[in-house]
Amino acid sequence: MKYNIFGIDVYFANYNEILDKIFSEDIRTVTCANQHYLNLAYVNKNYRKNLNSFDLIFPDGVGLKWGAGVTDYSNIVKKFERINGSDIYPEIINRVFNENLSLYILGDSQIVLDSAVKNIMGKFRGIKITGVHHGYFDLYDESIIEGVNSSNPFLLLVGLGAPRQEEWIARWKDKLNARKIVAVGGGLRVFAGDRRRGPMWVRNIGLEWLVRLLTEPSKTWKRYVIGIPLFIYRVLKQKFQKS
């Protein structure tokens, strides 16, 4: 079920349905949308265009569920789970592992990347990681494309952060030979153990963002202290404009 928020079509479903959708034949490029991403898209036309070029955008966090629920409470709030990208990315890798497919990981610093790869290989022993590259490169550098293509992966994970990762994927997707391209934002830091997550009860009530605010205040205060009220205002504005 798709809901349009700030001009972005977001696909709402439950975890297993989203995983099945990602691995379906008609889906190649995948990213998520959270309140921060949609705030960026609200003011940045190029980013909005890049987001809309993806085959699938799934909701990340309680804010998106609330935003869609403002216009259709019964369908969104009661029918669908709260989706979190940090929970779904390991399941994507798990499916790649179980189906004996290959993986290329692109993004973040070399230190974070090395830790993420080490942990992934430790958890999924024997997984086919055909190549890796850090995320500190020029978005026009075609040697990155050549490196990915030479490894011929089934899945390309891209963790460059928004809006950089969506811009890179939108620009190069037609030259990449990966069957699936999934943008994971800061997800590589979760794999690396570099980003603290809240306990399960905090995640279940939709307050994991508060953990990030308390543990990384200098990096996240604008995103949450300013961004959340701004997102709420913009959602309500959209609702009343449609009314």
Side-chain angles (χ1 to χ4, degrees):
M1 181 176 294
K2 287 186 178 180
Y3 278 79
N4 188 283
I5 307 176
F6 307 164
I8 306 297
D9 283 333
V10 183
Y11 178 78
F12 283 81
N14 291 320
Y15 271 102
N16 288 336
E17 293 169 326
I18 288 176
L19 280 169
D20 289 342
K21 187 74 172 174
I22 290 171
F23 283 85
S24 64
E25 287 294 326
D26 60 328
I27 298 297
R28 182 165 182 257
T29 54
V30 179
T31 190
C32 69
N34 55 36
Q35 58 87 16
H36 174 61
Y37 286 19
L38 290 188
N39 273 338
L40 288 177
Y42 191 92
V43 297
N44 186 326
K45 291 182 179 179
N46 286 332
Y47 181 50
R48 187 161 65 246
K49 179 181 177 182
N50 289 333
L51 270 180
N52 280 326
S53 72
F54 277 69
D55 298 322
L56 177 66
I57 304 171
F58 66 86
D60 178 17
V62 69
L64 270 287
K65 187 176 180 181
W66 173 85
V70 166
T71 55
D72 196 342
Y73 181 88
S74 60
N75 270 327
I76 294 298
V77 176
K78 295 181 180 179
K79 185 176 180 180
F80 299 125
E81 303 167 277
R82 176 188 57 82
I83 303 298
N84 191 300
S86 296
D87 293 325
I88 211 165
Y89 301 142
E91 294 303 321
I92 293 173
I93 293 181
N94 184 54
R95 187 168 293 198
V96 166
F97 173 68
N98 287 334
E99 296 183 14
N100 199 31
L101 302 170
S102 58
L103 170 67
Y104 191 107
I105 305 175
L106 176 70
D108 223 296
S109 68
Q110 193 65 53
I111 293 174
V112 169
L113 181 60
D114 289 344
S115 295
V117 170
K118 180 181 178 181
N119 290 340
I120 290 170
M121 292 183 71
K123 184 174 182 180
F124 304 99
R125 295 188 179 276
I127 189 170
K128 295 179 180 179
I129 298 180
T130 58
V132 299
H133 197 286
H134 64 76
Y136 291 85
F137 58 84
D138 188 288
L139 295 184
Y140 292 90
D141 186 352
E142 293 199 40
S143 68
I144 305 298
I145 312 304
E146 294 167 3
V148 173
N149 288 345
S150 67
S151 73
N152 195 33
F154 173 83
L155 171 65
L156 170 62
L157 286 187
V158 182
L160 303 178
R164 197 165 179 259
Q165 60 190 10
E166 285 80 14
E167 180 182 348
W168 185 82
I169 292 170
R171 175 177 292 131
W172 296 111
K173 62 182 179 180
D174 292 337
K175 291 192 175 183
L176 289 162
N177 63 9
R179 291 276 302 280
K180 304 287 179 181
I181 306 171
V182 180
V184 298
L188 296 183
R189 292 183 175 268
V190 177
F191 289 123
D194 190 50
R195 176 169 292 172
R196 183 177 176 183
R197 300 193 67 192
M200 190 58 68
W201 69 269
V202 171
R203 301 182 210 177
N204 289 339
I205 62 174
L207 288 178
E208 190 169 4
W209 63 269
L210 185 58
V211 175
R212 285 206 63 199
L213 177 61
L214 294 174
T215 56
E216 301 177 275
S218 61
K219 291 182 179 180
T220 62
W221 73 270
K222 285 185 179 179
R223 177 180 296 200
Y224 298 123
V225 176
I226 296 176
I228 290 176
L230 190 59
F231 178 74
I232 292 171
Y233 165 74
R234 286 168 171 168
V235 167
L236 294 175
K237 181 181 177 182
Q238 175 178 297
K239 174 181 172 59
F240 291 121
Q241 283 178 336
K242 285 185 176 180
S243 299

